[in-house]
C-alpha cells in the first residue's frame, strides 16, 4: 500500500504503434525508458497482440497487423525499453506520473499497486477510442462499437454475433466489415455515411496517392473483399435506431444528406442480432487535459486534439505526444510520430545532437507529409456530418453509466450552457466511463441550443466546423483518476493527516 | 439506523432558466447580494419571499464554488473542524453556541425539501462520529455533554455497541457518538433550487456578473447607498449582502473592511456504486474524514484534505497525497472498501474564519453592509441565510447572536475609509 517512486529518463504512456516506436527510439539512444500500457497486451488497437493465455502457433494466419505489432514490440524490447502491461497512468502533473498496476488476473486478488514515476520527458501516446454516437436503442445489448468488436476479435478471439450489421464512416469503415468477415463473422449489411467514391474523389486521392500506394491498395482490397463475400455495401446511409426486446433484433437505417441528416421516408428495417457502429475515432485526451497541454478542435481528427510542434512537443515542457491521441490519422502515421517524439525527447536530454536528430527524422517527416496530403484528400469523402449528433429522442439514454436521458439533460440545458454545471445537475458523465461516451453528445446538445442549426455549419461548404458549435463548448474539468482505481491501491498510510483545521 | 422515507424523491429538477439568469441587471434594488452560492441564493429567497426587492450578482455560474463542491454532509455533531486543539472546556462557550445552531440547522434541513417543493437529496439517516483511540473517545464524551446541554441529541456508543450496531466498520475502533439527524443532501441541487424559487418570488439572479468595485454613496436622507459595478452593469442598492464565501474578505476589502477569512482547496474521492451497506454518515473526531454512501450506491469520501491552488480557471487541482491519505483514513475505519474503485476525484474550496465562528449580521461602522458567511456553510447555509433575512426584515424571532457580529472583536474589523 505504500507508494513507491521510481525515476527514468523517458516515460512512454501507451503501447500502440506511437508509444512503441517512441520507446524504441528513445531507448536506442541510451535513455532509460519505461513504457506502460493499461491493456494486458501491447500493440494498441490496430496491432493488438493476443491476450494473456493465448499462444500463437501460426503468425501468418493472424494477419500482417499482428505481425507488424510484434515487430514493434520486439524492436522496443531489443532497444532496452522496459515494457509494463496492465499499468496505466491515472494522474499526471508535468512529467510526474502516478501509475496503477492492475492486480494480475487470476492471481491472489489484491487491489493492485500504485507507483509514481518521475521522468525527465514523458511521451503520451494514449491512442483513441470510438467516436460515441447516441441513437435510440444504442444501449441495447448487441450494439457495440467497431473498436470494441475489434478488441474482442484480436485479444479474446471472440466473434460478436451471427447476423451483424455494420454502420459507420471514415477511411477505416470498410476495413471493419472486411475484418469482421475475415474472422468468419456473417456481415449482412455495411453502411457508409459518406458518399461512394465518385470520379472526382478518386482523382484527388490518386493525385495525393504518391507515397501512399499502400493505403490506396488497402482501400481497394477491402472493397474487393466485401464484394467477393457478397456483403451489401450501401453509401450515404446511417443507422437511425436499433430495436429489440432486451437486445438488438433489428436496425432501422436511412439515407442521409451531405450533413448526415436522415432523409424522411428513406427508412428500411433489417433483422440482425448484432450492430457494430464505427463513426471514426476520437483521441483519448484525458492525460493531455490533466497535464494542461494546449488543444485545438478539429472534428475530422477526432475533436479536441493536442497541439504539437515539429518534435511532437506539447505546450507543457517535458511532455510530448504521438499517435492518434494527437489527432486520429492511423497506425502508420503513429509510428512515424513516435519516432519524432523519441528523437525529440532524446534531443531534449542531450542524447542526440540537433543535427543528427534532424537527419534521423527526415524519412519520417517525408512519409508524414505524404500521408497528410492523402488524409486531406480523403476528407472530401469522410468529413463527419453534424446530423450524427441529432439522432436522439427525449427518451434516449445519453449517459449510459448514470442512465440520464436526453429529456433530463434538456431540463438542465434550459438553465445553463456550462458542461460542468450540466454534469452537476444531471450526473451525466459522473459514472464509470467518466464521460467518454456522453460528453461529446452533450456538447453537441449545448451547441445546438446555442446556435441552432447554424452553429452546426449545415450550410456553406460543409467543410468547416461541421460538428459545429461543439468546438466552442468548453469540456468539463479534467481530474484524476484517468481510470478507476481501488481505494486499497490509492490508500497510503504514510501520509500525514493534517488533523485540526486551526491555523498554526 | 434504518432509512426513513425521502420526501423529495421523484420531484423534478428545480433550476432557474438560462433566460432568467441572463436577464439585464436592474439599475436599482433595495438589496444587492454578492455571491450566487448557497448563502446568497438562500438569502435572496427568504428576502424575496418577504417582499423585499433583491438582486443577486454572481461572477460565474451558480453554485460552482464551496456550496456546490463540498461533499454534502450535515455536520450537526461537534466535529474536528470546530476543535482548536485546546480542551473542549476551553472552547466550551463557542461550542455550545455552535451546537445550538446545529440543532436548529437539523430542524431546518428536515423541512427544506417541502419548503422548496423539490428533491434536494436530503437524507437524515444518522451520523457516527468515530474515535480510534481512548483519547479521542474522551473527546467524544466531553463534546457530547456540550451537545446535550445545547439540546442536540447525540448518543454515546461504546466500542462494543459500535461493533454490534455497525458491523461493517473496523473492529478495533474505540467508540462513537451517534446523531440521528445527521446525513447529507445533494450540494449540487440546493443553491439552484433556492435561486429558482427566489426568482419566482421576484428576485433577480444574474450570473456572469463579477463585481469590479463597490462605491459608497449617501442618499438625500444621509443613509448609506452602495453602487456595485459588475461586468454586467452597475446596480445601486440601499443594502449589500456579502455572500462571497471564500472571496468574502476580498469583497469586503473593496469597502475597506477586513475579515479574518481564509480558504483552502478541498479534496473529495468518489467511488463506483456498490450494494447499499452504509446508512449513517461517518466522521472521525481525530482525523480528516467524512464517508457516506449516496442513494445511487457510490461512496463519497471527504473530510477536508487539501487540494493544490492553481491559477484560474483551474483554481484547485488534485493532490495525489490527499487522495491517498483520505483513502487511508477511510479504509482505517471501513476496511471492507479496499476493492471499491475510485472513479472520480473532485476539488472544491473550503472557507474558514480564524475564530471558527460564523460572521452574520450588519457592520456597525458601515450600516447597510451585511455579512452572511458560515464555516461548514453547506450545513448551516440555509439556516443562517434565513436568520439574516429575518433580521434584515425585522421579522426574526430573535436577534442574531452577538458572537456572530462582523465586528465582534476589534481585530476582526479593519479601517473604513469613510
Amino acid at each position: 500500500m505504500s507508494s513507491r517512486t521510481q525515476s527514468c529518463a523517458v516515460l512512454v504512456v501507451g503501447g500502440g504503434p506511437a508509444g512503441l516506436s517512441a520507446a524504441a527510439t528513445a531507448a536506442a539512444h541510451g535513455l532509460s525508458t519505461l513504457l506502460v500500457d493499461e491493456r494486458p497486451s501491447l500493440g494498441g488497437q490496430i496491432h493488438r497482440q493476443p491476450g494473456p493465455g493465448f499462444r500463437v502457433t501460426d503468425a501468418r494466419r493472424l494477419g500482417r497487423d499482428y505481425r507488424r505489432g510484434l515487430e514493434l514490440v520486439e524492436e522496443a524490447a531489443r532497444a532496452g525499453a522496459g515494457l509494463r502491461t496492465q499499468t496505466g497512468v491515472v494522474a499526471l502533473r508535468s512529467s510526474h506520473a502516478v501509475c496503477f498496476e492492475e492486480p494480475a488476473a487470476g492471481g491472489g486478488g489484491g487491489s493492485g499497486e500504485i507507483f509514481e514515476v518521475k521522468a525527465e520527458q514523458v511521451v503520451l501516446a494514449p491512442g483513441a477510442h470510438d467516436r460515441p454516437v447516441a441513437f435510440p436503442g444504442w444501449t441495447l445489448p448487441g450494439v457495440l462499437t467497431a473498436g470494441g468488436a475489434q478488441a474482442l476479435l484480436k485479444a479474446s478471439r471472440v466473434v460478436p454475433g451471427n447476423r451483424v450489421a455494420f454502420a459507420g464512416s471514415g477511411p477505416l469503415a470498410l476495413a471493419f466489415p472486411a475484418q469482421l468477415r475475415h474472422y468468419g463473422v456473417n456481415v449482412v449489411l455495411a453502411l457508409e455515411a459518406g458518399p461512394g467514391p465518385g470520379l472526382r474523389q478518386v482523382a484527388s486521392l490518386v493525385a495525393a496517392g504518391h507515397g501512399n500506394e499502400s493505403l490506396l491498395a488497402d482501400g481497394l482490397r477491402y472493397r474487393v473483399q466485401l464484394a467477393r463475400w457478397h456483403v451489401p455495401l450501401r453509401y450515404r446511409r446511417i443507422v437511425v435506431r436499433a430495436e429489440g426486446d432486451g437486445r438488438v433484433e433489428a436496425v432501422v437505417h436511412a439515407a442521409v444528406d451531405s450533413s448526415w441528416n436522415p432523409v424522411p421516408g428513406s427508412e428500411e428495417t433489417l433483422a440482425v442480432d448484432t450492430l457494430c457502429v464505427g463513426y471514426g475515432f476520437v483521441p483519448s485526451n484525458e492525460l493531455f487535459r490533466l497535464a494542461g497541454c494546449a488543444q485545438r478542435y478539429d472534428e475530422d481528427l477526432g475533436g479536441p486534439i493536442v497541439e504539437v510542434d515539429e518534435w511532437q512537443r506539447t505546450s507543457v515542457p517535458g511532455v510530448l505526444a504521438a499517435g492518434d491521441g494527437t489527432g486520429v490519422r492511423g497506425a502508420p502515421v503513429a509510428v512515424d510520430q513516435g519516432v519524432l517524439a523519441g528523437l525529440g525527447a532524446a534531443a531534449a536530454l542531450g542524447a542526440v545532437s540537433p543535427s543528427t536528430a534532424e537527419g534521423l527524422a527526415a524519412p519520417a517527416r517525408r512519409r508524414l507529409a505524404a500521408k497528410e496530403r492523402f488524409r486531406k484528400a480523403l476528407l472530401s469523402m469522410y468529413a463527419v456530418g453534424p446530423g450524427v449528433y441529432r439522432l436522439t429522442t427525449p427518451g434516449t439514454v445519453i449517459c449510459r453509466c448514470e442512465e440520464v436521458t436526453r429529456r433530463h439533460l434538456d431540463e438542465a440545458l434550459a438553465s445553463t450552457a456550462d458542461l460542468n454545471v450540466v454534469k452537476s445537475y444531471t450526473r451525466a458523465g459522473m459514472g464509470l466511463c467518466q464521460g467518454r461516451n456522453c460528453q461529446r453528445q452533450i456538447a453537441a446538445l449545448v451547441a445546438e441550443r446555442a446556435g441552432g442549426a447554424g452553429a452546426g455549419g449545415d450550410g456553406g461548404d460543409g467543410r468547416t466546423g461541421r460538428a459545429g458549435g461543439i468546438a466552442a463548448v468548453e469540456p468539463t474539468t479534467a481530474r484524476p483518476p484517468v481510470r478507476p482505481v481501488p481505494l486499497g491501491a490509492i490508500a497510503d498510510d504514510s501520509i500525514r493527516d493534517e488533523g485540526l483545521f486551526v491555523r498554526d | 439506523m434504518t432509512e426513513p422515507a425521502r420526501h423529495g424523491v421523484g420531484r423534478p429538477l428545480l433550476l432557474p432558466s438560462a433566460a432568467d439568469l441572463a436577464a439585464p441587471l436592474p439599475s436599482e434594488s433595495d438589496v444587492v447580494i454578492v455571491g450566487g452560492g448557497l448563502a446568497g441564493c438562500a438569502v435572496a429567497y427568504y428576502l424575496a419571499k418577504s417582499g423585499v426587492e433583491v438582486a443577486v450578482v454572481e461572477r460565474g455560474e451558480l453554485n460552482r464554488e464551496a456550496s456546490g463542491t463540498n461533499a454534502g454532509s450535515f455536520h450537526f455533531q461537534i466535529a474536528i473542524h470546530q476543535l482548536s486543539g485546546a480542551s473542549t472546556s476551553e472552547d466550551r462557550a463557542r461550542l455550545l453556541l455552535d451546537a445550538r445552531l446545529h440543532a436548529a440547522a437539523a430542524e431546518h434541513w428536515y423541512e427544506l425539501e417541502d419548503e422548496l417543493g423539490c428533491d434536494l437529496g436530503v437524507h437524515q439517516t444518522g451520523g457516527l462520529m468515530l474515535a480510534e483511540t481512548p483519547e479521542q473517545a474522551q473527546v467524544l464524551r466531553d463534546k457530547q455533554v456540550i451537545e446535550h446541554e445545547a439540546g442536540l441529541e447525540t448518543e454515546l456508543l461504546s466500542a462494543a455497541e459500535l461493533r454490534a450496531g455497525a458491523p461493517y466498520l473496523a473492529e478495533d475502533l474505540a467508540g462513537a457518538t451517534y446523531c440521528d439527524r445527521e446525513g447529507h443532501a445533494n450540494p449540487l441541487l440546493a443553491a439552484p433550487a433556492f435561486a429558482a424559487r427566489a426568482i419566482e418570488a421576484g428576485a433577480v439572479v444574474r450570473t456572469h456578473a463579477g463585481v469590479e468595485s463597490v462605491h459608497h454613496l449617501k442618499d438625500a436622507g444621509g443613509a448609506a447607498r452602495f453602487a456595485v459595478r459588475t461586468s454586467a452593469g452597475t446596480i445601486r442598492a440601499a443594502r449589500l449582502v456579502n455572500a462571497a464565501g471564500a472571496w468574502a474578505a476580498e469583497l469586503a476589502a473593496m469597502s475597506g473592511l477586513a475579515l479574518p477569512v481564509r480558504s483552502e482547496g478541498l479534496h473529495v474521492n468518489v467511488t463506483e456504486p456498490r450494494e447499499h451497506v452504509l446508512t449513517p454518515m461517518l466522521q472521525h473526531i481525530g482525523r480528516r474524514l467524512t464517508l457516506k454512501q449516496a442513494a445511487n450506491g457510490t461512496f463519497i469520501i471527504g473530510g477536508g484534505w487539501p487540494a493544490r491552488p492553481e491559477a484560474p480557471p483551474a483554481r484547485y487541482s488534485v493532490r495525489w497525497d490527499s487522495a491517498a491519505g483520505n483513502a487511508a483514513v477511510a479504509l482505517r475505519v471501513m476496511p471492507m472498501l479496499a476493492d471499491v474503485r475510485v472513479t472520480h476525484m473532485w476539488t472544491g474550496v473550503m472557507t474558514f474564519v480564524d475564530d471558527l465562528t460564523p460572521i452574520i449580521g450588519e457592520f456597525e461602522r458601515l450600516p447597510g453592509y451585511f455579512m452572511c458567511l458560515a464555516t461548514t456553510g453547506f450545513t448551516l447555509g440555509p439556516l443562517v441565510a434565513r436568520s439574516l433575512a429575518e433580521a434584515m426584515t425585522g421579522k426574526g424571532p430573535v436577534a442574531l447572536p452577538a458572537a456572530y457580529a462582523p465586528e465582534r472583536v476589534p481585530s476582526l474589523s479593519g479601517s473604513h475609509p469613510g
Side-chain angles (χ1 to χ4, degrees):
Chain A
M1 288 222 294
S2 73
S3 71
R4 297 175 293 139
T5 300
Q6 50 182 268
S7 53
C8 62
V10 180
L11 172 67
V12 179
V13 185
L20 287 167
S21 75
T25 306
H29 285 89
L31 296 169
S32 66
T33 302
L34 173 65
L35 178 147
V36 295
D37 188 288
E38 62 188 5
R39 296 304 185 117
S41 59
L42 293 170
Q45 182 69 8
I46 300 300
H47 301 301
R48 185 179 312 287
Q49 305 295 295
F54 288 96
R55 194 164 55 87
V56 176
T57 51
D58 184 356
R60 273 176 317 174
R61 289 196 49 200
L62 288 178
R64 57 187 183 138
D65 285 344
Y66 158 78
R67 295 194 300 274
R68 176 68 179 127
L70 191 59
E71 279 168 28
L72 289 167
V73 175
E74 285 173 347
E75 195 183 329
R78 262 199 313 275
L83 305 173
R84 285 180 77 153
T85 55
Q86 280 185 283
T87 302
V89 170
V90 292
L92 180 70
R93 184 172 167 78
S94 62
S95 51
H96 183 181
V98 179
C99 300
F100 170 56
E101 182 171 19
E102 287 187 44
S111 305
E113 227 176 312
I114 289 282
F115 62 95
E116 301 188 20
V117 177
K118 285 192 164 130
E120 291 169 73
Q121 301 273 304
V122 172
V123 179
L124 299 177
H129 56 266
D130 295 88
R131 174 181 273 108
V133 168
F135 50 88
W138 76 300
T139 54
L140 280 173
V143 180
L144 70 168
T145 61
Q150 209 175 40
L152 276 179
L153 290 166
K154 291 188 182 179
S156 308
R157 325 303 291 176
V158 169
V159 168
N162 297 319
R163 273 180 67 80
V164 180
F166 172 86
S169 180
L172 291 176
L174 293 181
F176 280 113
Q179 222 168 48
L180 290 171
R181 189 62 185 74
H182 169 83
Y183 282 98
V185 178
N186 178 25
V187 182
V188 293
L189 176 67
L191 303 176
E192 160 61 63
L199 268 183
R200 196 161 57 102
Q201 280 92 1
V202 171
S204 70
L205 287 184
V206 170
H210 182 65
N212 296 296
E213 288 77 5
S214 67
L215 291 177
L216 277 174
D218 280 353
L220 191 62
R221 187 163 56 95
Y222 297 136
R223 208 170 300 272
V224 168
Q225 282 174 347
L226 289 177
R228 190 194 312 144
W229 289 321
H230 305 293
V231 175
L233 172 60
R234 299 179 67 180
Y235 292 96
R236 278 256 178 268
R237 292 188 77 83
I238 65 176
V239 163
V240 293
R241 62 180 183 274
E243 295 176 341
D245 183 9
R247 65 164 292 122
V248 62
E249 290 164 358
V251 292
V252 179
H253 53 102
V256 291
D257 64 18
S258 61
S259 294
W260 298 14
N261 293 310
V263 176
S266 64
E267 289 187 358
E268 292 175 31
T269 302
L270 182 71
V272 300
D273 65 8
T274 303
L275 169 63
C276 190
V277 186
Y279 291 102
F281 295 88
V282 298
S284 298
N285 70 344
E286 299 85 10
L287 288 170
F288 300 123
R289 289 169 57 208
L290 264 188
C293 302
Q295 304 200 34
R296 66 190 172 87
Y297 197 95
D298 183 333
E299 189 71 48
D300 295 316
L301 285 171
I305 52 170
V306 63
E307 305 231 41
V308 291
D309 68 5
E310 73 277 13
W311 291 108
Q312 303 294 125
R313 292 176 294 205
T314 71
S315 63
V316 176
V319 178
L320 300 91
D324 281 355
T326 70
V328 178
R329 296 178 176 90
V333 168
V335 171
D336 282 331
Q337 286 185 343
V339 169
L340 296 184
L343 287 169
L349 298 175
V352 59
S353 75
S355 59
T356 307
E358 202 53 69
L360 291 170
R365 290 198 198 289
R366 272 196 303 278
R367 288 189 295 268
L368 287 172
K371 297 225 164 48
E372 187 63 7
R373 283 196 306 275
F374 193 66
R375 185 183 75 83
K376 288 190 167 150
L378 276 173
L379 270 186
S380 64
M381 296 169 66
Y382 298 122
V384 177
V388 79
Y389 292 120
R390 296 185 187 130
L391 298 171
T392 59
T393 62
T396 307
V397 168
I398 289 187
C399 167
R400 56 196 307 166
C401 301
E402 295 290 319
E403 298 182 345
V404 182
T405 60
R406 206 196 76 197
R407 186 178 292 113
H408 195 51
L409 283 164
D410 284 341
E411 283 180 42
L413 290 166
S415 184
T416 183
D418 184 318
L419 281 189
N420 277 312
V421 182
V422 173
K423 180 175 168 182
S424 73
Y425 287 166
T426 62
R427 305 193 55 82
M430 288 191 188
L432 265 183
C433 90
Q434 302 177 327
R436 286 176 183 86
N437 282 304
C438 67
Q439 285 289 300
R440 184 72 59 95
Q441 194 72 38
I442 298 169
L445 293 175
V446 169
E448 192 83 9
R449 270 177 186 264
D458 273 358
D461 61 1
R463 298 275 313 119
T464 50
R466 273 170 314 274
I470 296 182
V473 180
E474 280 287 315
T476 53
T477 311
R479 302 270 186 233
V482 171
R483 289 285 190 272
V485 189
L487 273 167
I490 295 175
D492 185 343
D493 287 320
S494 71
I495 292 171
R496 194 179 69 90
D497 186 338
E498 303 201 13
L500 297 168
F501 288 76
V502 285
R503 183 177 284 198
D504 293 336
Chain B
M1 295 185 198
T2 54
E3 186 146 347
R6 297 175 52 213
H7 41 276
V9 167
R11 289 167 163 158
L13 276 179
L14 178 57
L15 303 173
S17 80
D20 281 337
L21 297 176
L25 198 60
S27 59
E28 295 272 344
S29 182
D30 178 358
V31 177
V32 62
I33 299 171
V34 180
L38 183 57
C41 294
V43 173
Y45 166 72
Y46 289 111
L47 285 178
K49 207 175 100 172
S50 295
V52 177
E53 182 188 43
V54 56
V56 178
V57 291
E58 160 57 47
R59 67 177 166 190
E61 296 269 335
L62 294 180
N63 199 43
R64 290 297 298 159
E65 304 295 352
S67 304
T69 56
N70 67 87
S73 305
F74 296 147
H75 297 280
F76 298 140
Q77 302 189 57
I78 291 168
I80 187 169
H81 56 262
Q82 290 160 270
L83 302 179
S84 67
S87 67
T88 48
S89 57
E90 283 183 40
D91 293 331
R92 184 177 177 81
R94 174 171 55 80
L95 292 177
L96 195 55
L97 198 59
D98 282 358
R100 290 202 173 104
L101 192 65
H102 291 158
E107 290 305 312
H108 191 232
W109 269 108
Y110 185 72
E111 296 156 4
L112 202 53
E113 286 183 331
D114 287 338
E115 163 91 26
L116 296 177
C118 65
D119 180 6
L120 300 176
V122 174
H123 286 67
Q124 289 184 284
T125 48
L128 283 168
M129 182 71 69
L130 305 170
E132 238 181 276
T133 65
E135 294 74 24
Q136 290 167 356
Q138 184 59 46
V139 175
L140 289 185
R141 284 191 286 275
D142 293 343
K143 68 103 185 159
Q144 202 258 343
V145 171
I146 296 173
E147 288 162 350
H148 182 74
E149 188 178 335
L152 180 72
E153 276 184 44
T154 53
E155 183 189 343
L156 262 177
L157 301 176
S158 68
E161 288 166 330
L162 182 61
R163 269 197 302 279
Y168 43 81
L169 295 178
E171 288 184 355
D172 57 347
L173 297 175
T177 48
Y178 178 71
C179 171
D180 65 359
R181 277 302 169 89
E182 280 191 323
H184 52 96
N186 187 339
L188 306 173
L189 302 180
F194 271 116
R197 291 293 185 231
I199 291 168
E200 278 175 21
V204 171
V205 180
R206 181 67 159 87
T207 54
H208 300 286
V211 172
E212 291 160 357
S213 64
V214 178
H215 296 280
H216 306 156
L217 319 162
K218 301 259 188 218
D219 69 10
R225 302 276 295 157
F226 300 92
V228 179
R229 200 179 78 201
T230 79
S231 52
T234 297
I235 179 167
R236 288 163 184 262
R239 295 181 281 178
L240 183 152
V241 178
N242 180 337
W247 295 271
E250 217 172 279
L251 181 70
M254 289 183 181
S255 297
L257 303 166
L259 291 175
V261 172
R262 65 200 158 89
S263 59
E264 256 182 38
L266 160 83
H267 179 94
V268 181
N269 285 318
V270 187
T271 73
E272 63 188 329
R274 285 291 174 95
E275 239 174 275
H276 192 83
V277 53
L278 177 65
T279 299
M281 174 186 64
L282 305 179
Q283 297 180 78
H284 195 303
I285 193 63
R287 297 170 78 182
R288 294 188 175 194
L289 177 72
T290 63
L291 168 56
K292 55 188 167 282
Q293 190 171 17
N296 66 357
T298 60
F299 292 91
I300 300 171
I301 308 168
W305 287 78
R308 183 190 297 106
E310 299 277 357
R315 198 152 282 155
Y316 291 100
S317 64
V318 164
R319 270 175 55 175
W320 191 265
D321 58 340
S322 281
N326 182 225
V329 185
L331 292 185
R332 171 66 187 87
V333 305
M334 204 166 161
M336 66 183 288
L337 299 184
D339 71 333
V340 179
R341 292 179 298 172
V342 172
T343 56
H344 288 78
M345 296 174 183
W346 89 67
T347 63
V349 57
M350 348 176 230
T351 308
F352 303 94
V353 181
D354 280 351
D355 65 358
L356 304 175
T357 303
I359 310 177
I360 306 154
E362 187 174 10
F363 272 94
E364 275 179 34
R365 66 174 61 201
L366 186 54
Y369 196 110
F370 293 83
M371 288 301 309
C372 187
L373 188 135
T375 50
T376 54
F378 186 69
T379 301
L380 296 178
L383 175 71
V384 301
R386 189 183 68 182
S387 303
L388 180 69
E390 286 171 348
M392 290 174 74
T393 53
K395 289 178 183 167
V398 287
L400 294 169
Y404 301 158
E407 292 151 301
R408 54 193 174 238
V409 291
S411 66
L412 291 188
S413 59
S415 63
H416 175 233

